[in-house]
Amino acid sequence: MVNAPRFSWHFLLPQYWLLWLGVGLMWLISWLPYRVLMLLGRAVGALLYKLMSSRRKVAARNIALCFPEMPAKEQQALLKANFAESGKALFETIIGWWWPDWRVRKLAHFQGYHHIEAARAEGKGVLLLAGHFLHLEAACRVFGLTHPSVGFYRPHNNPLMDYLQYHGRNRANKYMVGKRDVKGLIQALNQQEVCFYLPDQDYGRNRAEFVPFFAVAETATTTGTLLFANAANCVVIPVYTYRLPGYQGYQVEVLPALNNFPSGDDKADVTRVNQWVEQAVLKHPEQYMWLHRRFKTRPQPEDPSLYKTETPANANGRQ
């Protein structure tokens, strides 16, 4: 468990005034209607598409690697839609951190919670698998209305931003566990807590297996899911989250617990995790975080980077 950052009078010094100004402006904007916030987000996303050329190239490359058979026009359309979603994510952060519960409830759509109830009735914790979707700050707040959870937390380098981030996210959480605090998360699971875990980014070759993810046959995939599932008295339950069309809000869909997981075959198990992520992404691919360099770790250190070219790789992910 992380000690919650406390407010410090140091935060009132001039070096933080610009951040306070931005925070104050975003707080005022947060009171606009949800539809207006999403329209503003789309406009910001269009601006980000023009300004963030390096991230645009990363996202385009990821899409090309994952969907090599998708026509170029469709890839470009998905890329632009993804940046629109990235702009919305800025405003979804202020929804998650600052909106009162009564406003969030109007956007909350939740199904499948009985799967979590069944696990806890058996005296087990729940390792809840979620994906890196751009709307996750808002979706976690929706989840917290039903059951406050325990979340992983990486402190921000800016102390004031760290304070705001922690307490904003903690509106939907019981408490936060440090990103590297493996024992802390295992302890929470053994106390029958519901703990979010996101296994779908490239965390390096340590504690990883190289298994397929979409069309890239050798993708570094963390075995952290297996570590927690083996070490704690818990079940592993996947969850879909996505923004609904027509400004209806957010859907949180809890799936049945994974059977025979872990099975003892690490490669098979993390392949199964990736297959679940693929299913989640395909529901709304524009809402996924394609900006992350998902394929930066190669099977062999001397293998060429997949990000040195913008042309699609073949199915095994090699040039």
Side-chain angles (χ1 to χ4, degrees):
M1 180 175 179
V2 173
N3 291 325
R6 295 184 178 184
F7 182 84
S8 169
W9 292 109
H10 180 72
F11 295 156
L12 301 180
L13 294 176
Q15 68 196 73
Y16 295 107
W17 288 357
L18 188 60
L19 179 54
W20 278 120
L21 179 63
V23 168
L25 178 61
M26 294 304 290
W27 183 83
L28 290 173
I29 290 174
S30 74
W31 288 99
L32 292 172
Y34 177 69
R35 179 188 295 265
V36 175
L37 292 178
M38 293 299 98
L39 291 173
L40 286 173
R42 178 176 289 276
V44 169
L47 182 61
L48 294 177
Y49 180 84
K50 295 181 180 297
L51 296 179
M52 298 177 63
S53 60
S54 62
R55 284 296 164 182
R56 186 176 68 240
K57 291 177 182 178
V58 169
R61 182 63 173 149
N62 284 335
I63 291 170
L65 287 167
C66 289
F67 307 110
E69 297 181 0
M70 181 184 290
K73 287 186 177 179
E74 292 184 21
Q75 290 187 17
Q76 183 66 14
L78 175 55
L79 178 64
K80 288 186 175 180
N82 186 240
F83 268 83
E85 298 297 316
S86 298
K88 293 175 185 178
L90 173 65
F91 297 94
E92 286 167 333
T93 296
I94 64 178
I95 289 172
W97 291 9
W98 296 333
W99 268 28
D101 286 352
W102 64 267
R103 291 192 77 186
V104 178
R105 285 194 180 94
K106 293 181 178 180
L107 303 176
H109 303 271
F110 205 119
Q111 67 183 71
Y113 186 70
H114 61 281
H115 297 303
I116 293 176
E117 290 179 314
R120 300 186 78 242
E122 295 177 1
K124 295 182 179 295
V126 173
L127 186 66
L128 198 67
L129 296 187
H132 278 88
F133 286 87
L134 293 163
H135 55 261
L136 197 58
E137 296 283 0
C140 283
R141 183 69 187 282
V142 167
F143 186 92
L145 291 177
T146 301
H147 189 94
S149 58
V150 174
F152 262 141
Y153 169 72
R154 182 172 66 86
H156 199 280
N157 293 332
N158 183 301
L160 175 55
M161 194 63 209
D162 184 47
Y163 172 82
L164 295 169
Q165 174 183 259
Y166 183 96
H167 291 282
R169 288 179 174 172
N170 220 38
R171 293 193 68 165
N173 290 293
K174 279 191 174 181
Y175 59 87
M176 311 290 277
V177 173
K179 183 180 178 181
R180 301 184 183 279
D181 187 4
V182 173
K183 291 182 179 179
L185 189 65
I186 292 172
Q187 182 180 22
L189 290 168
N190 286 333
Q191 292 171 349
Q192 299 181 43
E193 298 289 0
V194 178
C195 303
F196 270 89
Y197 185 66
L198 283 66
D200 60 327
Q201 288 196 342
D202 188 333
Y203 299 116
R205 64 182 63 255
N206 185 36
R207 289 181 179 171
E209 294 283 352
F210 287 87
V211 297
F213 183 64
F214 285 108
V216 182
E218 295 177 295
T219 302
T221 305
T222 180
T223 57
T225 311
L226 315 183
L227 185 155
F228 293 118
N230 278 316
N233 178 31
C234 69
V235 297
V236 178
I237 295 181
V239 58
Y240 291 147
T241 66
Y242 45 93
R243 185 190 309 103
L244 294 166
Y247 308 105
Q248 298 177 67
Y250 303 91
Q251 180 74 53
V252 177
E253 182 181 347
V254 180
L255 304 180
L258 297 179
N259 292 321
N260 189 32
F261 186 91
S263 68
D265 184 335
D266 288 1
K267 276 190 175 292
D269 288 336
V270 294
T271 297
R272 191 175 174 189
V273 170
N274 276 1
Q275 289 170 344
W276 159 75
V277 176
E278 291 174 9
Q279 294 169 9
V281 170
L282 290 174
K283 280 181 171 290
H284 295 278
E286 76 284 357
Q287 297 181 21
Y288 192 59
M289 190 181 289
W290 295 111
L291 303 177
H292 170 71
R293 289 164 57 92
R294 181 66 183 90
F295 309 108
K296 63 185 177 182
T297 302
R298 306 297 293 122
Q300 301 299 326
E302 65 272 15
D303 287 345
S305 170
L306 295 181
Y307 295 95
K308 288 185 178 179
T309 175
E310 295 182 16
T311 58
N314 60 23
N316 69 6
R318 294 183 181 274
Q319 303 300 307

